[in-house]
Amino acid sequence: MSLIYRKDFWAGLLMLLFGVAIVFVLIPIGVDEPRKVKFAALSPSYYPRIIAICLSLLGLVVAIRAYLSAPPASETSAENRPDGVQRVAIIFCMLVAMAFVLPTLGFIVTTTLVLAACVWYAGERRYGLIAALSIGIPLLLYFFFLKIAGIPIPLGVLAPLLAGV
C-alpha cells in the first residue's frame, strides 16, 4: 500500500506540523511575553510550548512507526470506526461544556467529571481505574500549578474546602 494511503503516517505528520506551528507561529503571535521572567516556568508561553513540543514529538513517533510498519489489510474509516465522526463531535461538545462550567464548578470538579466521562466513553469499564484517574490527575495538576508553578487555578465550589491548603 502506498504511503499516500497510510492514515497513521499523515496523522502523525499533521500532529508534528501542528506542534511546530504552535511553537514558531501561534505562541509568538498570541502570547504576550514579559521582558524579564525570573523563572522559565512562570513565563506565559512555557506550558503551551511544552505541550506543543510533546505533540510534535508524538506526531513524529506516530509518523515513523506508520512508515516502518507493515500496511494494514484495510484502512477505510467506515470499516474501522463507522461512528468516528460522531464520537469526535461528542468529545468536542464535552470540552465546550467544560469551558462553560469551569468558572462555576472550578478546575478540579469540572476536570474530574469530564475526564471520567471521556474515559468511560472511550470504552474503559473498570470503575476503580476511572475514579483513580479522574480524581488523581486533576488533583495532581492543581497542586503542581499551585505549589510548584505558583499559578492559581479556579476552585469554584471547592474553594471553601481547599482555602487553607
Side-chain angles (χ1 to χ4, degrees):
M1 179 174 284
S2 171
L3 191 59
I4 293 173
Y5 299 106
R6 303 287 298 271
K7 288 189 292 186
D8 288 345
F9 175 78
W10 292 109
L13 192 61
L14 185 64
M15 285 172 49
L16 171 64
L17 293 175
F18 186 61
V20 169
I22 290 172
V23 170
F24 293 108
V25 177
L26 296 177
I27 290 175
I29 290 173
V31 177
D32 292 328
E33 290 283 341
R35 296 216 184 264
K36 290 185 177 182
V37 178
K38 189 174 182 179
F39 301 106
L42 298 178
S43 170
S45 66
Y46 183 73
Y47 294 105
R49 185 170 279 116
I50 287 175
I51 291 170
I53 290 169
C54 289
L55 179 67
S56 297
L57 292 174
L58 288 172
L60 181 64
V61 168
V62 168
I64 290 171
R65 287 188 67 192
Y67 181 77
L68 297 176
S69 68
S74 173
E75 281 203 19
T76 60
S77 61
E79 291 176 9
N80 290 338
R81 194 91 204 178
D83 62 341
V85 173
Q86 175 188 351
R87 293 174 69 82
V88 170
I90 288 172
I91 296 293
F92 180 77
C93 289
M94 280 192 232
L95 294 176
V96 169
M98 179 181 179
F100 285 108
V101 174
L102 187 65
T104 306
L105 294 181
F107 175 80
I108 297 172
V109 173
T110 305
T111 307
T112 298
L113 295 173
V114 171
L115 189 56
C118 287
V119 170
W120 182 85
Y121 191 61
E124 182 59 57
R125 295 299 182 261
R126 293 175 286 179
Y127 295 110
L129 180 63
I130 293 173
L133 289 174
S134 300
I135 295 168
I137 290 173
L139 283 174
L140 286 172
L141 286 172
Y142 170 73
F143 285 115
F144 170 79
F145 281 107
L146 182 68
K147 300 296 184 184
I148 296 172
I151 300 171
I153 301 290
L155 289 174
V157 296
L158 293 181
L161 293 173
L162 296 174
V165 178

